[in-house]
Amino acid sequence: MLAFILRRLLQSVVVMLVVCLISFSLFHYVGDPVASLLGQDSRLQDFEELRERLGLNDPFYMQFANYIGNALRGELGISYRLQTPVSELIASRLPATIELAMASALIALVFGVTLGVMSALKPRSFTTGVVMTLSLVGVSLPTFLIGIGLIYVFAVELQWLPSFGRGQVVDLGWWKTGLLTESGLRSLILPAITLSLFQLTLIMRLVRAEMLEVLRQDYIKFARARGLSNRAINFGHALKNTLVPVITITGLQLGSVIAFAIITETVFQWPGVGSLFVNSVQVVDVPVMAAYLMFVALVFVVINLIVDILYYVVDPRLRIAGRAAR
Amino acid sequence: MSADTTRPAAPVAAKGALARFLDSDIWFSFKRSPVTIVAATVAAVLILSALLAPLISPYDPFNPATLNLMDGFTKPFSESMFGNYFVFGSDNQGRDVLSTILYGSRISIFVGLMATLFAMVIGISLGLSAGYVGGVYDSVVMRIADIQLSFPAILIALLIFGVARGIIPPSQHESMAVWVLIIAIGLANWAQFARTVRGATMVERQKDYVAAARIMGVNPLRILLGHVLPNVMGPVLVIATINLALAIIEEATLSYLGVGVPPTQPSLGTLIRIGQQFLFSGEWWILFFPAVTLVLLALSVNLLGDWLRDALNPRLR
C-alpha cells in the first residue's frame, strides 16, 4: 500500500515539474511582459527599471529555480492586465468555481446514476428511450448553446432565475460563499445544470452499460435462484459492482468539470477562475495563463492520485494482485 | 489488376468503380438507415451552401457600402424600411443574418476540416512510427498522448491560442487568427488519432505481409505508408468524421469565448456571441439561426461518424 502510494506520488511530482517547466517557458518566451505592462509612450528608462524589478534580466535556470520556489510559496507573479498578484486573483475567484463544480458534480452523480440504473433495469420502456435520445442530443450540443438555451427559457421568457453573476455572497473570512443566500442559490442553478449535463450523460451511459453487463453475470442469476428480492439484487449486488468504474470516471471528470467551467462561467458571467483565464487569454496575460495551467494540472494530479488510492481501497482484486506481485 | 486474377470467381471486381460502390456493404448499410440519409443530406446541403456562399447569399454582409444601419433589427421573413427583404432577419448593423450564416459556416467548416486534417497528419505519423518502432520512443509519445487526453481539448486549444497570440505580433492577429485556430484545435486533437493508429499498427506489424516486405528489403517508410497505413485507415476515417464535428464545435466555442476569429470575419461561434447580446431585448433571430445551423452541422456530421463506425465494424455486420 505504502509503496504503491509513494510510487504514484513520485509520478505526480514528475508531471507537476513538467507542467511547471511548460508554464515557465510560457512566461519566458511568450510576449514581452514589459511592453504589455507599460504603455506605448513610456520612456526607455521605465522599460529597463521594470525589467530589472521583474527579474527578467537573470539567466534562464535562475529564473526557473526562482519560479518554482515562488510557486511553492504560492507566489505566481503579477498579472499584466490587473497589476495584482496572481495568487490573490485566483484565491479570490476559486470559491466561485469550486462551488459551481461541486454542485454540478453532485447533480451529475445523482441524476446520472439514477437514470442509468433506471434505463438498465427497464431497457424497453418509453422513458428510457426518451432519456437515451436526449442524452445523444445533449452530447452533440455545444455547452455554451445549452447555457444560452437555459438562459432564454428560464431567465428571459419565464424570468424565474437570474442569468448572470453569483447573487449575494456571504464572506466567511477566507471563503466567499453563495450557498447561504437565496439569490446565491438561485444564481447557482442554471450554471450548475449547464456544467453538469455533459458529465451527467457520461455517467448515465456508463452506469447503464455496466449494469447491463453485470446483470448478465452468473452470480446475479444465482441470486435470483436463491429467491432474493429484486431490490436486494439490483441495488445490493448489481449496482454495488458497477460503482468502481463510476467512481473512477466521476473522480477523473471532476478535473474536467473545473476546466469545462471556463465555458459555463463565460456564458453566465460567473466570477470564477475559468472566466479569469478566458479574459487573460484574450489579452495574453501570461502570468495568469501560466498560473491557471499549474492550478488545473495540480487539480488533475491530486484527483488522479486520490482516485487511484480509492480504487485500491474499493477493489479487493487490486490489493491481492499487488500482494502477489511482491 | 493482379487482385482480379487472384479472385476470378468474384464478379464484383469486373464492374466499374461506381457499380462496385453500389454493391458494397457500406452503401447497403447507408440505404438501410434513414437517419443516416437525412444526416448526410443535411450535412451536404450545409457544406455546399457554405462553399457557394458568394454565389447564393442574397447580400454581401461584409461590404460596408451595401450595409444600411437603418436596416438593423429587421424581423425574419419581412422587409425593412428600404425594401430589403431579410429571410432570417437582420442584425444590429443591418447585415442579413442568412448571408452572415452562409459566410460564417464557410469559416467554421474550413477551420474544422483543416484542424481535423492537421490533427490527422500529426496523429497518423506519430502513431504509425510509435507502433512500428516501439521501445522508449513509443512510450514517450504515448505518455504525452495520455497526459493530453486527460485534459479537455478546449483547455489545450485555449492555451495554444494564447501562446500563439503572444508570439505573433499584434498587427497580424486578425489576419493570422484562422490559422492560429486551426493549429490550436489540431494540436488539441491529435492524441486520439495517434492512439488508434498506434494500436492498429502494432497488430499489423505482426502480420506476414509486413515481414515479407521487410525481408524483401523494402524501405521502412514505404512499408509504413504504402502497406500498413492503408490497412489502418478504417478506424482513422471514423475518428476523423467524429473529430470534424468536435473541431467545428471547438472552433465555435473558442470564437464564442471571444478568442477565435475576429468579428470582421465571423464564424458561427462569433455570430452566436454577437447574437447573445440581443437576447434580452427580444431580437432572438440574430442568435437563433446561427445556433440552429451550428447544431445541425455538428449533429449531422456526428451521426455520419456514428454510422460509419458501425458500418466499418465487421463485428456488427
Side-chain angles (χ1 to χ4, degrees):
Chain A
M1 181 81 187
L2 193 67
F4 170 78
I5 293 178
L6 276 179
R7 205 167 54 233
R8 291 291 293 111
L9 257 178
L10 194 72
Q11 283 175 6
S12 310
V13 171
V14 171
V15 171
M16 275 318 287
L17 269 181
V18 172
V19 173
C20 270
L21 187 66
I22 295 175
S23 77
F24 173 71
S25 320
L26 273 182
F27 239 113
H28 203 78
Y29 294 111
V30 175
D32 185 0
V34 179
S36 40
L37 273 174
L38 294 174
Q40 282 193 336
D41 37 49
S42 306
R43 291 169 304 160
L44 271 178
Q45 198 185 339
D46 295 336
F47 277 81
E48 262 321 297
E49 273 172 18
L50 193 64
R51 204 172 275 281
E52 194 61 47
R53 194 155 65 86
L54 294 172
L56 291 172
N57 289 336
D58 298 341
F60 182 89
Y61 62 91
M62 246 183 84
Q63 288 195 40
F64 184 49
N66 272 338
Y67 185 77
I68 292 187
N70 285 339
L72 286 177
R73 273 180 279 125
E75 287 168 25
L76 297 164
I78 294 169
S79 160
Y80 297 162
R81 180 171 60 108
L82 301 163
Q83 308 258 348
T84 40
V86 175
S87 44
E88 271 177 36
L89 270 178
I90 289 190
S92 72
R93 281 164 165 261
L94 199 53
T97 297
I98 289 184
E99 283 177 7
L100 179 62
M102 289 301 163
S104 69
L106 196 69
I107 295 175
L109 199 59
V110 170
F111 286 92
V113 171
T114 320
L115 291 176
V117 168
M118 195 194 79
S119 59
L121 293 182
K122 296 197 171 106
R124 306 227 168 271
S125 85
F126 178 71
T127 7
T128 302
V130 172
V131 168
M132 292 304 286
T133 316
L134 275 182
S135 79
L136 196 68
V137 176
V139 168
S140 21
L141 278 182
T143 319
F144 67 97
L145 273 187
I146 294 174
I148 294 175
L150 287 177
I151 289 183
Y152 185 70
V153 174
F154 292 101
V156 178
E157 287 296 317
L158 297 172
Q159 305 206 333
W160 286 352
L161 297 164
S163 67
F164 66 89
R166 258 186 109 188
Q168 272 184 323
V169 290
V170 178
D171 197 346
L172 299 178
W174 49 279
W175 186 282
K176 285 200 173 72
T177 178
L179 299 177
L180 295 176
T181 61
E182 199 207 326
S183 72
L185 283 176
R186 281 159 55 91
S187 310
L188 183 63
I189 297 175
L190 289 185
I193 292 178
T194 309
L195 188 54
S196 73
L197 278 184
F198 188 77
Q199 262 61 38
L200 199 160
T201 45
L202 202 73
I203 293 176
M204 190 194 96
R205 286 175 163 265
L206 186 74
V207 170
R208 181 186 133 90
E210 291 285 328
M211 272 294 262
L212 287 175
E213 188 82 31
V214 168
L215 285 175
R216 274 202 292 269
Q217 303 271 324
D218 284 343
Y219 66 84
I220 297 290
K221 284 183 196 145
F222 181 59
R224 285 201 204 288
R226 268 159 65 203
L228 293 184
S229 71
N230 269 337
R231 210 177 116 172
I233 295 171
N234 292 339
F235 294 96
H237 293 273
L239 183 60
K240 212 167 150 192
N241 278 295
T242 63
L243 283 183
V244 174
V246 173
I247 290 175
T248 323
I249 297 289
T250 316
L252 293 179
Q253 286 295 317
L254 202 61
S256 312
V257 170
I258 289 182
F260 264 120
I262 297 172
I263 303 165
T264 312
E265 284 179 8
T266 311
V267 177
F268 290 94
Q269 296 168 41
W270 189 262
V273 279
S275 50
L276 175 73
F277 177 61
V278 168
N279 293 337
S280 313
V281 169
Q282 281 163 352
V283 296
V284 200
D285 190 347
V286 179
V288 181
M289 280 164 59
Y292 183 82
L293 175 66
M294 288 217 284
F295 161 71
V296 171
L298 187 68
V299 170
F300 268 91
V301 164
V302 169
I303 287 175
N304 266 308
L305 197 63
I306 294 175
V307 167
D308 271 356
I309 295 172
L310 270 184
Y311 223 82
Y312 201 81
V313 175
V314 172
D315 194 341
R317 279 171 297 185
L318 279 178
R319 257 172 289 168
I320 294 163
R323 231 171 272 144
R326 241 176 286 147
Chain B
M1 280 299 115
S2 60
D4 291 359
T5 52
T6 53
R7 323 179 272 166
V12 181
K15 292 185 201 160
L18 182 69
R20 214 157 49 203
F21 175 70
L22 290 177
D23 211 36
S24 68
D25 293 341
I26 294 204
W27 179 247
F28 180 71
S29 82
F30 182 78
K31 274 192 305 190
R32 286 283 296 276
S33 159
V35 177
T36 311
I37 295 177
V38 173
T41 318
V42 171
V45 166
L46 287 174
I47 292 175
L48 264 183
S49 57
L51 265 181
L52 300 175
L55 296 177
I56 59 173
S57 74
Y59 299 91
D60 181 0
F62 306 114
N63 182 0
T66 60
L67 293 181
N68 192 338
L69 272 182
M70 303 296 280
D71 275 347
F73 299 123
T74 312
K75 283 195 174 140
F77 312 109
S78 61
E79 249 178 37
S80 72
M81 285 187 285
F82 297 92
N84 289 325
Y85 184 77
F86 297 112
V87 186
F88 287 169
S90 70
D91 67 1
N92 56 328
Q93 298 174 37
R95 301 191 290 201
D96 175 38
V97 171
L98 174 63
S99 308
T100 55
I101 289 176
L102 287 173
Y103 279 94
S105 38
R106 209 176 148 89
I107 294 177
S108 290
I109 292 171
F110 177 72
V111 171
L113 277 176
M114 292 302 281
T116 305
L117 200 68
F118 187 48
M120 206 162 111
V121 169
I122 301 177
I124 287 180
S125 27
L126 285 177
L128 268 181
S129 52
Y132 193 75
V133 175
V136 181
Y137 173 70
D138 175 43
S139 44
V140 168
V141 170
M142 284 305 118
R143 201 55 58 229
I144 297 174
D146 282 347
I147 293 177
Q148 193 173 328
L149 277 174
S150 64
F151 293 95
I154 197 77
L155 176 68
I156 292 167
L158 263 171
L159 264 178
I160 298 170
F161 189 88
V163 171
R165 270 236 163 146
I167 295 172
I168 297 169
S171 58
Q172 285 169 21
H173 275 177
E174 292 221 341
S175 55
M176 297 285 284
V178 168
W179 296 102
V180 170
L181 263 183
I182 289 171
I183 291 172
I185 297 174
L187 279 180
N189 289 328
W190 65 273
Q192 195 74 51
F193 287 98
R195 221 185 220 186
T196 314
V197 171
R198 177 220 178 219
T201 307
M202 287 178 80
V203 174
E204 294 296 320
R205 191 179 58 172
Q206 312 291 336
K207 293 195 177 158
D208 287 344
Y209 75 91
V210 174
R214 212 183 289 164
I215 295 166
M216 281 166 68
V218 179
N219 176 352
L221 200 66
R222 201 161 151 211
I223 297 180
L224 279 181
L225 296 180
H227 299 276
V228 178
L229 183 60
N231 284 303
V232 302
M233 269 322 261
V236 169
L237 224 59
V238 175
I239 299 179
T241 319
I242 293 173
N243 204 277
L244 175 62
L246 265 181
I248 289 173
I249 288 182
E250 276 161 17
E251 186 278 327
T253 307
L254 287 177
S255 294
Y256 171 78
L257 294 176
V259 294
V261 289
T264 45
Q265 41 174 157
S267 71
L268 290 174
T270 326
L271 292 177
I272 292 169
R273 177 186 170 84
I274 297 171
Q276 200 193 359
Q277 300 163 8
F278 306 106
L279 194 58
F280 282 92
S281 45
E283 285 93 13
W284 52 270
W285 59 90
I286 305 176
L287 170 84
F288 181 75
F289 292 111
V292 169
T293 314
L294 176 64
V295 170
L296 283 180
L297 191 60
L299 198 62
S300 59
V301 175
N302 234 336
L303 285 172
L304 278 181
D306 275 355
W307 160 76
L308 199 60
R309 184 180 52 203
D310 294 347
L312 290 179
N313 190 346
R315 270 181 302 171
L316 290 179
R317 266 188 218 144

